[in-house]
Amino acid sequence: MTIAVLSGKGGTGKTFVSVNLAVNSKNAVYLDCDVEEPDGHIFFKPEHSETEAVFKTFPVFNEEKCTACRKCVEFCAFNALAFIGKKPMLFQEVCHDCGGCELVCPEKAVSLKKLSTGSVSWGVHQTADKTSSTGTGKTIAVGGMLNIGEASGVPVIKAVLDKGTEILAQTEKPDIETDVPDSTSREKKENPITGNLIIDCPPGSSCAVMESIRNAEFCILVTEPTPFGLHNMNMVYRLVTLMGKKCGVIINKADSNTLIEDFCKKKKLPVLARIPFSREIARANGAGNILSETKPEYKMIFKNILGSLQEVLQ
């Protein structure tokens, strides 16, 4: 399953939910796509971490070849190009790295230059699960970090998603012996990916969120039972509906208020869990601990959520 965890604003418990879902999932890869403020690593503390740079491209113009035909300016849907006199000018902050200006230039006056925009890191979290008889487990944690001053995190988010998908495919790659059962039969068996990608999305409903949920099979909307929480949840609900995604709601810091439940009944949205307001949760999160690794009652909450999602997606 590919599960995206969203919230209309920061501080609702999106990372808390994502991290606990990941450690309770079989063969899970956690993806921290909140590349402006990544904090998943605080909980996972990944070992054997590796890092790669992420690059974007931007156009460079050869003024000797340029005939000021303006085809690149007319093509750019984001108004990142303009002509000042007879010279092209780039507004790099709004360039979306599509490469279209290079394709449409009849004089081949445009080339693309690489520029570092951030990085992607990944490592292994070894679970010390005190609620389980086995006591051990493994989660791969992948996260992105946007360079200071960069306007868009989309290229880094794409890199995080690609790296997570690559890692999950590698962890499930079959043995050669299993793939080829005997010397007389060379036909490969089907080996579908059965692990889980848990995507910790950026808050809000911006382009970065749209990129994060593009390939998600199910979206979990995390909210709190307040008018402000309902307003912001409605924004992301409209986004996932527009993108045709199945979704459900987790009410965090739940109390006796039925504001969110009333909205969910009206929209026929499943409430996957109600996590009560608790100082214990706040202390665990503040210390960077994963609560369901030590508290069986919380482990059961997230196991039940995963079970519900498997039924929905069958």
Side-chain angles (χ1 to χ4, degrees), residues 23-92:
V23 297
N24 286 293
S25 301
K26 180 184 177 182
N27 196 21
V29 179
Y30 164 86
L31 306 179
D32 193 346
C33 288
D34 187 2
V35 298
E36 294 184 46
E37 295 288 345
D39 55 5
H41 64 281
I42 296 173
F43 296 92
F44 284 113
K45 305 171 184 63
E47 302 171 355
H48 312 296
S49 184
E50 298 181 55
T51 302
E52 284 181 358
V54 178
F55 297 92
K56 66 178 181 181
T57 59
F58 65 95
V60 176
F61 297 89
N62 185 328
E63 294 181 9
E64 293 181 0
K65 290 184 178 181
C66 179
T67 59
C69 70
R70 299 179 59 86
K71 288 188 177 180
C72 56
V73 175
E74 293 166 2
F75 176 85
C76 185
F78 301 99
N79 298 314
L81 294 173
F83 265 86
I84 307 299
K86 291 187 176 181
K87 292 184 179 180
M89 180 177 180
L90 171 69
F91 299 96
Q92 193 171 306

Side-chain angles (χ1 to χ4, degrees), residues 233 249 251 259-271:
M233 188 193 79
V249 175
I251 305 172
L259 190 67
I260 303 299
E261 283 96 335
D262 294 342
F263 177 87
C264 291
K265 286 178 183 176
K266 183 179 177 181
K267 300 293 184 181
K268 298 181 180 178
L269 279 172
V271 176

